[in-house]
Each structure stands twice: as structure tokens, then as C-alpha cells.
Amino acid sequence: MMDRGTPCERIRQVFGFEQFPEALFYQTDFALRFDLGADLSMQHQLTPRFLQAMDRSRQVAAALFEGAERLTVVIRYSGDMEWRSGRRRTLLALARAGFRLPLGPVERLRNPYDDPEYPIMNNWHQIEIANDPNLIAAVLWCVVAAEMPISPNGGMGLFDAYIVDFDAGAALHVYDDRGMDVIATTRDVLRPLYERFGDWLLHWDRPQMDEAFAS
């Protein structure tokens, strides 16, 4: 397969970020933030909450990437000299969920949000995949379950996963069972999701989304 550049080179070229930032929703003009777990209680409604978060994230992903033949899974985990340990744990978590593809070469960039006196490196990988609902579900499972007593899971804070269509300029990031950010380089890519899944948008950030997509 032709070399398309490192993960962060492609992120810069398509989205304009040096690397995907924290709180992705607030960093771009065209973004949606979905409420996955909603009002279902982690303590008393664990199974319904997990299943709802999975169902919502899978439906949005299917709609966002409809028609794409290939996608890219971008993985980020943090670590310093022991980054290979983070790589092994990430691979193991993904494999347990059914995603058994190699991570490929690592791109290491300094985390811009950390204390300069105690720098932490962000380790980035990219995996090219077919637009396969089973592969997408395996990645989503790991991140949705990360803070839940659900097995297998990716482990709290172990890694972040972004499912990206670089050709269309669209990316999806589940941050945990609470929510998911979806961004695009153009308004038209997200407008159908805003209209179709409006009831799932996070109420707190709804005014910002309405301003971008309602008219």
C-alpha cells in the first residue's frame, strides 16, 4: 500500500492540527458531540447503558462512513521511555475485543498539555482497515467499556482511538461511555448526522451545534 505519511502528518494536512487535541469538539468549527450513556445509571443500569452507548456509536459511525471503502484507525497512548509497554497493552486490549491488526510504526510527539518540566510523549499509530462494521465495533467496544466493569476493555486512560476517513475529512472519537465527538472539515459532511441523530446530541453543547447546523 502506498505510504500516505505518518499519522500526524495526515492529521495536519487534512484537519490542520499538529495532532488530534483533547476535547476535539471544541477545537473545530464543524463538530457534533453525542450523548452515549445519557441518563442510564452506571450503578443500576450498567448493561443497558453499555448497550445503548455501543448502539448509538455504531449507528453514527455507519452513517458517517457510509460509502467509504477504506478507513484509518488512529491510536494514541502516552508514555516516556517505556512506551513499548503501552504499545503491548494497547495491542492486547484491541485483540481481546476482536481487533487483531498490527499497529505499525510509531510517531512520537510531545504532549502539548503536560508540564514542561515533566514531558510526556504521545505515541501515535495508524492502521488502514476496510470499512468493516465488525472492526469498527471492536474499536468502539474497547473505548466505550474503558471505564466500565465490562470485559474486555481498553483500560481507563490506556489509549485513545480515532476512526478517520481522511479522504472525506471526517473523524470520530469516543472518549468513554458518556460521549463521542465527530468532526469534519466541511459542514455538509455532518449536517445529515445532525438532522438524523438530533435526539442524541449532548444537551449542554446543543446551542453551539444548532448555530453551526440548524440554518
Side-chain angles (χ1 to χ4, degrees):
M1 182 176 293
M2 183 180 298
D3 182 9
R4 299 185 179 182
T6 69
C8 292
E9 285 174 351
R10 297 174 75 189
I11 291 167
R12 285 192 291 273
Q13 291 168 3
V14 175
F15 297 99
F17 303 123
E18 287 301 306
Q19 48 190 312
F20 279 134
E22 304 289 339
L24 195 57
F25 172 80
Y26 299 106
Q27 308 301 323
T28 185
D29 292 334
F30 306 115
L32 297 173
R33 174 160 278 197
F34 290 92
D35 189 358
L36 298 182
D39 295 330
L40 294 173
S41 165
M42 174 87 79
Q43 182 176 1
H44 301 294
Q45 299 167 297
L46 175 64
T47 299
R49 180 181 176 87
F50 174 73
L51 292 176
Q52 176 176 279
M54 281 295 298
D55 184 57
R56 289 186 175 187
S57 60
R58 291 179 71 185
Q59 286 194 52
V60 172
L64 177 65
F65 301 126
E66 184 177 7
E69 293 186 3
R70 306 289 299 179
L71 300 171
T72 305
V73 177
V74 177
I75 299 290
R76 180 192 67 82
Y77 55 88
S78 298
D80 44 28
M81 297 302 292
E82 299 301 320
W83 67 270
R84 290 178 178 84
S85 174
R87 176 179 179 146
R88 286 193 297 271
R89 290 183 292 141
T90 298
L91 275 169
L92 180 60
L94 287 167
R96 285 173 172 168
F99 189 95
R100 297 182 175 86
L101 300 177
L103 293 184
V106 65
E107 179 180 15
R108 308 191 73 217
L109 295 179
R110 183 168 177 168
N111 187 326
Y113 303 102
D114 283 331
D115 187 336
E117 295 185 7
Y118 304 96
I120 296 293
M121 301 299 289
N122 282 338
N123 303 286
W124 295 91
H125 298 267
Q126 60 182 342
I127 310 103
E128 302 299 318
I129 65 169
N131 187 2
D132 182 340
N134 293 324
L135 290 175
I136 293 171
V139 175
L140 294 176
W141 180 296
C142 278
V143 289
V144 168
E147 298 187 11
M148 307 181 83
I150 298 286
S151 182
N153 67 54
M156 187 181 301
L158 175 57
F159 67 88
D160 282 286
Y162 303 81
I163 304 174
V164 187
D165 183 345
F166 281 109
D167 292 332
L172 178 151
H173 174 238
V174 174
Y175 46 87
D176 54 34
D177 58 285
R178 292 170 300 165
M180 172 177 69
D181 291 340
V182 180
I183 68 167
T185 55
T186 64
R187 180 176 181 267
D188 290 345
V189 171
L190 297 186
R191 179 68 182 272
L193 274 64
Y194 169 84
E195 296 175 344
R196 179 176 173 183
F197 302 110
D199 291 343
W200 298 351
L201 297 175
L202 189 66
H203 177 73
W204 181 265
D205 294 304
R206 188 64 189 256
Q208 182 174 332
M209 292 181 276
D210 288 344
E211 183 176 353
F213 298 102
S215 59

